[in-house]
């Protein structure tokens, strides 16, 4: 998978919003240590965490499975625009058969599937991909063929959320109880954040990778 940050709100939008509450603009050090500590103290320690909603992040996420998407989409305090299987399944039309399960065919299949590393599962996924390819090649409409898609089928999306929701997402999804793929995604999203924003989220990371 790949995660790219498209845009992040400058931290000044957050510390200036906080200073509006206290009319403490005279104490600003122009985005220096005092202003950064202010966000952490007010939003994280005093739990006045609605102030974090002024920080918004836009990500491009490439190559997660539909299984992972299903979990990601449970995060209601976020916005999603997802590659549509209804409109894009014809990408399989031009593909040759993915069988037999040779090294070359497995590599080709990986362009469309997230592999787990468990051989029996990955081979079953490729079989399902081949079934899907045959449906599409036999002119079954995407709207019907999509019901035969494996959960491992790769998708891409635009994903946007505010810092408060991102804290909740990272707390839940970096935890060792989370599914391995969304856990990888959660760490990748954290890594994609601007370095000067990461301090607001580091306490949410449950365990090192
Ligand atoms: C380890 C793990 C296992 C899971 N297993 C399952 C499972 O078996 N089955 C299943 O269905 N889901 C499962 N989930 C998904 C989980 O129930 C949540 O839907 C998901 O994690 C999104 O969390 P959220 O509601 O906090 O996020 P968001 O939807 O982004 O909400 C963010 C926050 O806003 C507030 N909020 C949002 N909506 C409401 C509301 N309607 N009322 C009150 N407050 C609200 C809450 O404070 C919430 O934490 C699992 C999640 C995890 C991490």
């Amino acid at each position: 998978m790949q995660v790219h940050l498209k845009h992040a709100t400058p931290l000044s939008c957050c510390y200036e919003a906080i200073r509006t509450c206290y009319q403490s603009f005279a104490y600003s050090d122009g985005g220096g240590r005092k202003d950064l500590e202010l966000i952490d103290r007010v939003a994280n320690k005093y739990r006045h965490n609605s102030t974090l909603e002024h920080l918004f992040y836009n990500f491009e996420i490439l190559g997660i499975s539909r299984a992972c998407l299903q979990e990601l989409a449970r995060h209601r305090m976020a916005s999603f625009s997802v590659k549509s299987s209804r409109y894009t399944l014809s990408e399989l039309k031009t593909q040759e058969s993915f069988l037999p399960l040779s090294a070359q065919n497995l590599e080709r299949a990986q362009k469309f599937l997230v592999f787990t590393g468990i051989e029996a599962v990955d081979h079953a996924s490729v079989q399902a991909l081949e079934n899907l390819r045959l449906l599409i090649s036999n002119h079954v409409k995407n709207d019907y063929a999509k019901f035969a898609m494996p959960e491992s089928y790769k998708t891409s999306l635009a994903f946007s959320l505010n810092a408060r929701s991102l804290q909740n997402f990272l707390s839940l999804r970096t935890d060792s109880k989370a599914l391995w793929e969304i856990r990888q995604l959660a760490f990748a999203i954290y890594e994609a954040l601007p370095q000067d924003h990461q301090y607001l989220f580091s306490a949410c990371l449950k365990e090192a990778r």
Side-chain angles (χ1 to χ4, degrees):
M1 76 178 61
Q2 289 177 49
V3 177
H4 303 125
L5 179 72
K6 308 284 277 187
H7 184 72
T9 311
L11 291 172
S12 57
C13 290
C14 188
Y15 64 72
E16 283 171 9
I18 294 171
R19 292 209 179 279
T20 300
C21 298
Y22 308 114
Q23 291 294 296
S24 64
F25 298 105
Y27 295 101
S28 174
D29 57 357
R33 192 175 53 84
K34 279 210 259 176
D35 284 330
L36 301 189
E37 279 177 8
L38 179 74
I39 304 178
D40 189 40
R41 187 170 65 252
V42 173
N44 290 341
K45 299 197 172 75
Y46 299 170
R47 306 299 294 161
H48 184 177
N49 40 15
S50 62
T51 55
L52 290 173
E53 294 167 22
H54 297 290
L55 297 176
F56 209 75
Y57 302 94
N58 307 104
F59 298 96
E60 174 187 48
I61 299 175
L62 303 174
I64 57 166
S65 71
R66 291 171 65 84
C68 185
L69 172 68
Q70 188 276 125
E71 298 206 343
L72 184 63
R74 296 301 302 280
H75 291 267
R76 293 159 287 182
M77 296 295 120
S79 301
F80 303 81
S81 296
V82 182
K83 178 181 170 186
S84 165
S85 53
R86 293 187 65 195
Y87 298 113
T88 64
L89 264 185
S90 41
E91 67 190 4
L92 288 178
K93 223 173 218 162
T94 53
Q95 292 295 312
E96 304 279 311
S97 173
F98 293 99
L99 300 178
L101 295 171
S102 62
Q104 197 192 8
N105 282 338
L106 288 172
E107 196 183 316
R108 284 178 50 235
Q110 234 175 326
K111 185 180 162 207
F112 299 98
L113 302 174
V114 171
F115 278 179
T116 62
I118 308 294
E119 193 179 79
V121 174
D122 297 339
H123 286 185
S125 276
V126 180
Q127 295 279 359
L129 178 67
E130 177 59 12
N131 291 342
L132 183 62
R133 188 193 71 80
L134 286 171
L135 291 171
I136 299 290
S137 308
N138 290 324
H139 309 293
V140 175
K141 289 200 168 103
N142 290 0
D143 276 3
Y144 295 96
K146 72 185 247 115
F147 286 78
M149 288 175 84
E151 291 234 20
S152 57
Y153 203 91
K154 278 184 181 170
T155 193
S156 303
L157 67 149
F159 177 61
S160 303
L161 75 178
N162 67 46
R164 184 181 188 180
S165 180
L166 181 55
Q167 284 191 341
N168 179 55
F169 170 77
L170 292 174
S171 305
L172 292 171
R173 301 302 187 173
T174 59
D175 194 282
S176 58
K177 288 188 226 54
L179 182 78
W180 58 270
E181 192 187 3
I182 199 166
R183 192 159 182 255
Q184 282 179 5
L185 175 64
F187 281 110
I189 285 175
Y190 173 77
E191 294 295 339
L193 287 169
Q195 278 198 342
D196 60 336
H197 289 229
Q198 287 179 347
Y199 80 106
L200 293 172
F201 302 94
S202 49
C204 304
L205 303 185
K206 284 296 163 61
E207 286 166 45
R209 256 180 288 189

